Structure formats: structure tokens, C-alpha cells
Amino acid sequence: MAPISTPQTPFGRVLTAMVTPFTADGALDLDGAQRLASHLVDAGNDGLIINGTTGESPTTSDAEKDQLVRAVLEAVGDRAHVVAGIGTNDTRHSLELARTAERTGAHGLLAVTPYYNKPPQEGLFQHFTAIADATGLPVMLYDIPGRSGVPIDTETLIRLAQHPRIVANKDAKGDLGRASWVIAQSGLPWYSGDDMLNLPLLAVGAIGFVSVVGHVVTPELRAMLDAHASGDVQKATEIHQKLLPVFTGMFRTQGVITTKAALTLQHLPAGPLRLPLVELTEHETAQLKIDLAAGGVEL
């Protein structure tokens, strides 16, 4: 059974977009995925995004995606929201992944803006509507024009928010003004998808985070969110400022690369990367250690 949710917090408030652990030879490490999922939920995550970009979804097969969702559900599905990334730039393929995730037992779907083919807004509207119509699962949109090439415009988001199964948006657009308008006009629950903007997005109405740095600082993220929710803006700001070195360090290069390096430094399951992603250099690893230590992360 899925964990408890409300219309205001459909997937909880603090979620981490989980990496996909691999074995030394590059195969899927299901045991490692279960151990990492359990660690992240124990740390305070209400949910996990599986098979998102941080999960190296561009280089995992459909079968591997399904195996991973099954494994994570078995490990933490009774106490955390397990949201399956099903976004591709082919609507038919996304529908297949969505239906498979539903059959497997996922609690929700994450649908990223179609990338590379640069559809117009009507194409985006029809793509996301088709995904929402394909299953009975709640859908979180993922608006990240820096990767997809196309933003979901304000008017399109407001239209999509009217669909009963489109229940949230993960915002990595970096535009607080547009976020403010959509939140105000649609009431769509809003999750920060850009860790540096977690606190600013709370200030304009976001209800939580889908984080990458949550791999290493989930307790701090929850403390910041709780402080803001209780009206202690000063404490929330202090936590935000303390975490600035972590936000910076984890994105000096591609986030999956640094996240897996950080987890390895903490002796947690991660494993190697699949090309075209490559490991940090010795110099980059040394800088990551400095950044994490400056933000209070123990290695």
C-alpha cells in the first residue's frame, strides 16, 4: 500500500532522486539499490524518484528500469513513495513505461519534458495528457528546459493542472516569477528540482523538494523545510546558507558523477557510471571533499 499522501503533498515533502547503483562490471546492483533506498528513507525522505536523470535513465534498459522499481518497492514501498521516472521523447514509449510501472506497483510517475525533438506547447500538452490518461497513477511533471530544450510555458502548466491525475510539478526552470504565477493561478503542488533554489521556491509557495543533494544532507533539508513551515525564516535561511558549499560542490560537474563519488566516499552503494558519464578526477574528488566538509557533511 502506498504511504499516506494529501492533495497538498501528494508525494510527501522531501524526496531524493536516487542514483542507480551498478556493480564493478557495470551491471545493475539490485541489492545495493535496496540498501541505498533504505538508507535514504531512514535519513528522512518521504519518497524516492527511481529511474530519473540522476538514476542514469538514458543508459538503463526498460527491463532494468522495471527491476529497479520492483527492488525499491520491496525495500521501502511500505514507508515511502516510490515514484517511477517514465519520461522519454517518444510518447508511445513513455506510455509503455508508465503502464509497466503501474503493473509493478509504483506509487506515482515522473514525466520529464520530451527532450531533443523540441515540441511546441500543444505537443507538450498532448504528451503529458496522454501519460496521465494511460494509468490510474498520479503524475508529477518535470520542467527542466536546460536539459530538454523546451520549457513548459505558464499557460500550458495551468492547463495541465486541470487534469485530475497531474498532481505536482518538479521545477528545475530557475524562474521564480513564472513559478509564482503558476502556483497562484493553479494551486498545483510545487516541488523544487533545483537544490540551490529550495528555499527561494518555498518562499513563493513550493511544498517540498525533489533533491539530488538529499543523498548526503536529507536531515538538513527536512530541518530547513520544517523551520520555514513553522515560520522560523531565520533558521531556514541559516540552514540554507550552511548548505551552500554542498549545493555548489555537488554540481561543479554533472550531478550524477558527483553524487556517486560522494556516496562512495561515505561507503554507500553507488558503483561506477555508464558512458558517456565518467568518474571524477583526483583533483575533482579532492575539491568535492572540501565542498562537502565545508557544508558539514561527514565522510
Side-chain angles (χ1 to χ4, degrees):
M1 179 178 292
I4 295 173
S5 62
T6 71
Q8 293 75 33
T9 57
F11 302 107
R13 303 195 72 186
V14 180
L15 298 91
T16 291
M18 197 180 91
V19 301
T20 297
F22 297 127
T23 60
D25 62 358
L28 196 63
D29 180 4
L30 294 176
D31 177 69
Q34 291 187 319
R35 287 187 286 121
L36 179 58
S38 296
H39 167 79
L40 292 172
V41 174
D42 290 343
N45 280 282
D46 300 315
L48 301 172
I49 305 291
I50 309 301
N51 297 323
T53 309
T54 308
E56 293 179 78
S57 60
T59 53
T60 56
S61 69
D62 290 1
E64 287 175 323
K65 289 179 172 65
D66 184 49
Q67 291 168 21
L68 189 62
V69 172
R70 289 178 186 276
V72 173
L73 281 166
E74 181 180 308
V76 299
D78 61 339
R79 58 195 183 105
H81 299 270
V82 177
V83 181
I86 52 81
T88 73
N89 63 346
D90 174 356
T91 303
R92 290 179 297 177
H93 188 192
S94 293
L95 299 184
E96 292 171 3
L97 292 174
R99 290 168 180 142
T100 298
E102 182 179 42
R103 288 193 295 269
T104 300
H107 304 142
L109 306 173
L110 178 75
V112 71
T113 313
Y115 40 84
Y116 188 72
N117 41 19
K118 300 183 76 171
Q121 292 299 307
E122 182 58 29
L124 296 183
F125 177 79
Q126 293 191 28
H127 172 83
F128 289 123
T129 299
I131 290 171
D133 287 342
T135 78
L137 295 178
V139 176
M140 179 188 294
L141 306 176
Y142 183 13
D143 186 9
I144 182 165
R147 288 185 182 274
S148 68
V150 176
I152 312 175
D153 285 351
T154 300
E155 295 76 13
T156 307
L157 282 163
I158 292 171
R159 289 176 68 196
L160 288 166
Q162 298 173 24
H163 195 292
R165 282 186 296 281
I166 294 178
V167 301
N169 182 54
K170 176 187 175 184
D171 180 7
K173 186 180 287 175
D175 189 328
L176 294 173
R178 290 191 181 187
S180 300
W181 274 111
V182 179
I183 293 168
Q185 294 185 38
S186 72
L188 187 66
W190 211 258
Y191 290 86
S192 171
D194 183 343
D195 279 304
M196 186 67 82
L197 296 182
N198 283 346
L199 183 57
L201 278 166
L202 288 181
V204 299
I207 55 93
F209 318 134
V210 175
S211 177
V212 174
V213 304
H215 285 90
V216 294
V217 292
T218 287
E220 291 82 357
L221 292 179
R222 180 165 291 283
M224 181 172 67
L225 191 152
D226 289 345
H228 185 273
S230 69
D232 193 344
V233 176
Q234 180 177 344
K235 180 178 179 181
T237 302
E238 290 172 355
I239 297 170
H240 168 77
Q241 291 175 345
K242 177 187 175 182
L243 292 176
L244 287 174
V246 181
F247 297 154
T248 299
M250 292 285 281
F251 294 99
R252 287 186 185 274
T253 186
Q254 208 272 359
V256 182
I257 297 173
T258 48
T259 301
K260 282 199 163 182
L263 290 171
T264 298
L265 290 169
Q266 292 188 315
H267 307 290
L268 289 166
L273 300 139
R274 288 184 177 175
L275 284 170
L277 301 184
V278 294
E279 309 293 334
L280 291 182
T281 65
E282 289 186 11
H283 173 75
E284 289 170 330
T285 300
Q287 181 61 58
L288 178 62
K289 290 180 180 179
I290 292 170
D291 294 329
L292 294 176
V297 177
E298 295 184 4
L299 299 175

